[in-house]
Amino acid sequence: MKSTLVPFFLLMCLFTGCAEKVSDDAFVGTWELKGRTKFDGIRIKIEKHDDALTGRIVKLNNNKLVKMFADSSDVWVSGIQRVSDFEFKLTERKLAADLFSLYGQSTSQDFKVQFIDANTIGLATEGADPQNSSVLYKRVP
């Protein structure tokens, strides 16, 4: 019996990567947006309150639309939910969300996210791989 369990666990490690579950607390900190020209340079501070993760803008970039429709301290990340041990769903509030809501349009967008490393989060829309995404959140001090 023991001789059959060892190869089984080795195969499981190969397919799952033998990595540990990513903690929700890994999101806590200040992040800079990269890979979307309009949003490049915006900084978001993600905090955990009552087991819920949310992110607020702490620094805007110089894009005129961003300056027109966003303010420091606005909620940018309205929620982060675990999908698996390594994958999460991050919900961003759309720029000009109030305007979208007047016309009955969606005011947020969901992304599939994974940590590329401890200081980089990859974001992807449905069907894309967050590990290979150019849309990133990079941790800043």
Side-chain angles (χ1 to χ4, degrees):
M1 181 77 173
K2 284 184 182 178
S3 63
T4 59
L5 287 178
V6 172
F8 173 75
F9 285 117
L10 287 174
L11 282 174
M12 289 303 294
C13 278
L14 285 174
F15 290 115
T16 62
C18 291
E20 294 181 26
K21 180 178 178 178
V22 175
S23 169
D24 295 355
D25 293 334
F27 285 98
V28 175
T30 303
W31 302 86
E32 187 169 306
L33 280 58
K34 305 259 185 206
R36 294 178 284 178
T37 307
K38 188 185 326 175
F39 303 134
D40 277 350
I42 293 175
R43 289 192 178 179
I44 308 298
K45 185 173 185 176
I46 298 176
E47 297 178 313
K48 191 172 192 174
H49 297 286
D50 300 324
D51 291 332
L53 292 163
T54 56
R56 292 188 174 274
I57 298 172
V58 292
K59 180 183 173 212
L60 297 172
N61 65 9
N62 288 325
N63 182 283
K64 78 177 189 178
L65 291 173
V66 170
K67 286 185 172 189
M68 185 181 304
F69 291 109
D71 289 316
S72 285
S73 80
D74 282 355
V75 172
W76 185 266
V77 176
S78 58
I80 299 173
Q81 299 170 334
R82 179 177 295 282
V83 175
S84 71
D85 285 352
F86 311 102
E87 189 172 284
F88 297 84
K89 179 178 87 169
L90 182 143
T91 303
E92 276 187 353
R93 191 164 186 259
K94 286 184 179 177
L95 188 63
D98 295 336
L99 185 60
F100 282 108
S101 71
L102 287 174
Y103 293 98
Q105 302 296 312
S106 170
T107 59
S108 63
Q109 177 161 359
D110 292 335
F111 292 94
K112 202 168 39 167
V113 299
Q114 288 183 1
F115 278 86
I116 296 170
D117 60 44
N119 297 312
T120 309
I121 303 169
L123 284 74
T125 54
E126 289 303 314
D129 182 8
Q131 290 284 325
N132 297 320
S133 179
S134 60
V135 178
L136 307 170
Y137 278 31
K138 294 287 284 181
R139 189 182 305 273
V140 293

